[in-house]
Amino acid sequence: MSLAALLKPRSIAIVGASDNKARIGGVPVDLLHRAGFEKIYPVNPKNETVQGLAAYKDIESVPEVVDLVILALSADATLPYLERCHAQGIPAALVYASGYAETNEPDGIAKQAELVAFAERTGMRIAGPNCMGNANFTDGIFTAFGQSFQPGEPAGGTALLTQSGNMCATVFRMARRAGVTFSHVINTGNEASIDFSDYLDFLAEDPATDSAVCYIEELRDGPKFLAAAARFRAAGKLLAVYKVGVSEKGAAAAQSHTAALAGDTAAYDAAFAKAGVARAGEFSQLADLAYLHTIGGKIAGARCAILSVSGAAGAILSDALSLAGGDVPTLPQAAQDGLDALIPGHSMVSNPVDLTGNLVNSSDFLYAAMKLAVEANEIDVVLLYLPGYFLTQSFEQVERLAAETDKALIVIDTFAQADQARLAKAGIGYFDDFDRAARAVSAYGAWKAQDTQAVEPSVSGASWGAFPEDQNALSETEAKEALARFGVPVVHDALVHSSDEARAAAAKIGYPLVAKLVSPDVAHKTEHGLIRLSLADADAVVEAFESMMAKARSMSGVRIEGVTLEPMLAGGVEILAGVTRDPVFGWMLTVGLGGVWTELMKDVRHRLLPVDAAGAEAMLRGLKGFKLLDGYRGAPKADVAGAARAIAALGDAVLAGGDRIREVEVNPLLVMPEGRGAIAVDALVLLNEPVREKAEEAA
Amino acid sequence: MSLAALLKPRSIAIVGASDNKARIGGVPVDLLHRAGFEKIYPVNPKNETVQGLAAYKDIESVPEVVDLVILALSADATLPYLERCHAQGIPAALVYASGYAETNEPDGIAKQAELVAFAERTGMRIAGPNCMGNANFTDGIFTAFGQSFQPGEPAGGTALLTQSGNMCATVFRMARRAGVTFSHVINTGNEASIDFSDYLDFLAEDPATDSAVCYIEELRDGPKFLAAAARFRAAGKLLAVYKVGVSEKGAAAAQSHTAALAGDTAAYDAAFAKAGVARAGEFSQLADLAYLHTIGGKIAGARCAILSVSGAAGAILSDALSLAGGDVPTLPQAAQDGLDALIPGHSMVSNPVDLTGNLVNSSDFLYAAMKLAVEANEIDVVLLYLPGYFLTQSFEQVERLAAETDKALIVIDTFAQADQARLAKAGIGYFDDFDRAARAVSAYGAWKAQDTQAVEPSVSGASWGAFPEDQNALSETEAKEALARFGVPVVHDALVHSSDEARAAAAKIGYPLVAKLVSPDVAHKTEHGLIRLSLADADAVVEAFESMMAKARSMSGVRIEGVTLEPMLAGGVEILAGVTRDPVFGWMLTVGLGGVWTELMKDVRHRLLPVDAAGAEAMLRGLKGFKLLDGYRGAPKADVAGAARAIAALGDAVLAGGDRIREVEVNPLLVMPEGRGAIAVDALVLLNEPVREKAEEAA
């Protein structure tokens, strides 16, 4: 059921309405009244009128079934009143009251559970509790008890959706200063019944909204968020997100604030990458991304040409873009030649372009220079450093080119003197700070340029078979056999107890091989001759088996479990691949180089499943240490494609495994030289307890 | 000779003075006149007056020997006129003209060389060329041909020193918007004769200046900069620097702009760390650091308490501080208990502190909470998130505490509504953006808290001896012997040619040892038995020597150079230490973990020499991979102190080596388990050609 009754109501009752325009029950009456909203029904048992409007003693007296009831009541009074509203057939409610789960106390948590149960039973859409209310600028509907959003603001295409009322007001003001105008401003409160992503779904379909900027502390339903984000992408709408809690302290603060566990940073990173959301690297960038989207149709990526009246400014912007992940491509030779002919003296023309101060001496110079830049295929955006009077002097040229080109022009004026209204009218971007501009353009351009291809899980038809009921892990052999069925190449090893078994197993494994005595009682097997390498044929295997057994039998107090045979692999590079389950987003694949690389350098990449071979290869190529796989120091190149296939198969296996799987890790996955694939030397499969057992325990 | 005649002149002649106040020769006359400067002497051969002032037809007609002459002439006319000014005894000149080395063309480079030769011959202090001129707000003296710096601005303690005229104006405006006031604004032009650091020296001693903020493209004289920076530290003055050119593109742009090679990023990083300058991480931070220094006496470090009326804002600020390198320490239990008693309900009190919106209901609540925070020893700075009316409501409380505490209070108001003048009057800091505040406070606090201990080089009295005249490197044996004399432990190896030599050398080296046949003709020595490990006594060494020689003699076409003996070292961790010479800053020490760690992960640390053992140990402990030395995965801890002593000795050796040394590297330096030191297994000493030879070649 849509949130239209909540966010676009045609009639509103305010229960707890106050005559005092500054009080919590008075503000929404005042705002709605001033906005010219017609069907306002203040409910107040004591007053005949509220702020000059006819008041009703209770919800039952209101002469129509309203779309939305706002409850400005205490937490204790709220649920009983919701029952009465439901009895009237009212489809949506907004609950201001706090004192629920955000208190992190049993009483509040119980109250919230009752509210959820009520919503589920009745189907009523209930926003909050602990919610400040919203503003719909498109239709002039104001349901907040704060004064931050006032009637009369111009309406626009940006929606603001936050998990904090205060931050809602903050982003709103920052973005308004940049000239951004809004469709909806929504803060979600405790999200007891209406989830963050429910609002996103509404905004994805709202014709007045062409972008949403979001402040997120914690998402409760990862898949729902991913689905909503996909709707934004399909509609060509910007979804920009700032996620708090990337540091331990920030996470702790967010946790207490929302009564929610802080999400795992890596999982959020992976989810945002998969969902194709634009990630605000700092809080104020939410406003900048919303702002850039207003000229966003012209920005195809983050490849910038820099035209500057100051060589220093060009250098500073280049540095800032590089640090922010943007790009400053060298201009094509033709463009450079054109610029060289245009600019007096010998100046930088490769990019950044130093226009020099001569700019002001010609009425066409800047236009011609910009034209050369926008016509280069390598360029998505032209950044113009034109401080103070340099812009004033050449404004008409910039406007003229802006009208002719499909690419974005963005002016930077560190003197902060530019006529913003005139720039906005011409669809030209504006910043007064180098680094803020560079970061915002890089983030927005990266969002626009990203690959949006969705990955479908590959279904092999293989099966894990029955999981053992009483174990929390598979044995190494069981784990490798299961993964092998899904197409993960594994080392076949064998535990043998006789010369005949050794001969038969060796034939299956292939040569050369390694034989190891298996005993819990011998520490230094190499020193005792209980590991034998490079066994090249059956006779060597049998000889090794017999001599190791004899040696072990000659040692006192040594229990002998047998001898393992495994192929002797040389020349490979060890990597690891593992899949864990994030409580919000589900299965997350991690790959990294083996051992200390992963542990000390944190040189790992994460993606949410499903991941296909192309995705797995991109993860490997994203590792800082990828060169180790790429023919490092004269070594043969490793079979990266083979490793990627093995990793993708691992992911598919986990997806096929269902709820019993807790975690799967292959470590090491030995990546052999090109053409020889990758092979899982060891595998770990951890299991959850069967659900049936949990039910029994609860009984 | 001081720059007083240039920067604090009592009388000024302007050659090329114009009646037109907008022209290059007219602007300084107008500015000086409006500033009330008394002794202005316009020089213009055609006019009797300039802008209402008596004009002189040439410098010889000016009735006194002025302190400073400003030359608003073409490049060609400048040097002849300088000769005439010098003949008059004028001590200082400011050259506006461009067309010198910045053109990067032979003619301009030659002109600049003539100017330098003139300055050296005459001792005249010549600013520029290609210089926009300066502003001295303290004394009301304006020598610029631009309009950016006007008489009437309030004077203050911040000096602005830049290698770009345009950036000078930009930082000035940014900082003025934050309320910063200035003593001097200086841009250095081409620095043909007066170097960047000459200006720093002047500012270090200028009583009106208590901080300098600098935009740097390239320093020409590293040691002079380090010395000037030391004067700033000794005087307790802030020296804040933004260095452009950290990316390849930025460096290329800077290079073209100043006709100077871009400095090596690592060397600048090392130099700035050594000099104790505050590094602006982004351009606009120059203004923020200048601003923070105005309340800087109260900021002792970057350990922040966050008091916020919004839990979300507290979390955002925590994240931002952590990312910026600041700290959000947990408050002591007593402070937490006090806050818990103060704040209604259950709120975050550990830090960040969530004050909740109840703040406005008490006239003492915020004061009491801030007092608990500032009294904690763990805290240097209290950040207050008080947007809009929250500050208005509690301004008096903040002022009251600010008057009582020695610690800094900084208000953040994302609504940008704070009364900045009232805050400034009370010495309270102010920002309107979370991340900008966090980055600036972290950078400023880090500068204040840094260790400033200078390191004196240790003089061992050892000597390199005579360097070979005709070689560009020492042999490995020569290199190790030389380093050993300076106290670097080295592997003693020996090339032996007989059993007797082998026996004697082995006794010197110690056991166990490794013997290797030396021949240019054998590739796989292990396979041929020509490397023998773990030789435990003299007899084993002799046996190995004889059998390897016999084996080698039995192979056809194999030249035999002898057998090397070296100690067999096991259990150590390989690191590398090297010293290179940066063209600007001189000797720079680099340490890192060996092999791929250094190459792929760039996990290295740099410092300028001299570095003592404590400094070397800090470098090792700063490596991401330091855990590999610290008992990783159950290995014994490595002898980090021993490694640090060896590295410090390496640095001392290089300093003692003089100009013939080009580069020295020890790779690997094997760090043994604790108590067993570190030992140079291999050493490389590259040499420069002797200076004498160069002179001969030139002759």
Side-chain angles (χ1 to χ4, degrees), chain B residues 624-663:
Chain B
K624 276 194 225 164
F626 174 72
K627 282 185 185 168
L628 282 179
L629 291 167
D630 202 34
Y632 185 65
R633 287 187 171 176
K637 287 194 178 211
D639 197 333
V640 174
R645 285 192 302 273
I647 293 166
L650 172 70
D652 293 339
V654 171
L655 287 176
D659 287 341
R660 280 300 305 281
I661 305 256
R662 184 148 64 91
E663 187 180 333

Side-chain angles (χ1 to χ4, degrees), chain A residues 171-402:
Chain A
V171 178
F172 179 76
R173 281 161 195 260
M174 285 181 164
R176 287 293 300 124
R177 292 204 288 273
V180 174
T181 50
F182 287 86
S183 56
H184 289 270
V185 172
I186 300 167
N187 79 91
T188 63
N190 285 9
E191 299 176 27
S193 170
I194 304 178
D195 181 75
F196 189 87
S197 304
D198 293 323
Y199 294 102
L200 278 185
D201 280 343
F202 172 85
L203 294 171
E205 285 170 26
D206 179 36
T209 297
D210 58 32
S211 70
V213 294
C214 306
Y215 166 81
I216 294 178
E217 294 182 344
E218 145 110 299
L219 293 171
R220 287 150 183 87
D221 188 335
K224 204 158 148 182
F225 174 81
L226 294 173
R231 278 180 207 112
F232 266 78
R233 285 209 71 83
K237 296 183 179 186
L238 169 71
L239 176 57
V241 164
Y242 176 86
K243 165 73 176 69
V244 81
V246 300
S247 74
E248 214 177 297
K249 280 281 176 181
Q255 182 175 346
S256 172
H257 185 241
T258 59
L261 278 168
D264 176 71
T265 302
Y268 275 96
D269 289 342
F272 291 154
K274 184 184 188 77
V277 307
R279 188 81 177 270
E282 57 192 304
F283 182 76
S284 59
Q285 203 171 84
L286 280 180
D288 294 341
L289 292 173
Y291 168 68
L292 280 178
H293 195 64
T294 64
I295 56 163
K298 294 186 151 196
I299 303 177
R303 300 172 305 164
C304 299
I306 300 171
L307 307 191
S308 170
V309 296
S310 151
I316 293 168
L317 266 169
S318 284
D319 271 2
L321 279 164
S322 299
L323 291 175
D327 194 12
V328 187
T330 299
L331 290 173
Q333 194 57 48
Q336 292 195 39
D337 292 345
L339 288 162
D340 207 34
L342 212 55
I343 304 171
H346 289 265
S347 185
M348 283 280 288
V349 292
S350 62
N351 196 17
V353 177
D354 186 357
L355 298 171
T356 75
N358 290 293
L359 178 83
V360 293
N361 300 328
S362 155
S363 64
D364 258 347
F365 172 76
L366 180 62
Y367 173 84
M370 288 187 296
K371 200 167 168 63
L372 287 165
V374 297
E375 283 173 356
N377 289 332
E378 291 80 356
I379 297 303
D380 298 316
V381 177
V382 176
L383 294 177
L384 302 163
Y385 179 66
L386 298 171
Y389 97 114
F390 285 104
L391 176 62
T392 316
Q393 291 290 311
S394 52
F395 217 130
E396 181 275 333
Q397 294 181 63
V398 185
E399 284 169 324
R400 185 146 47 100
L401 191 75

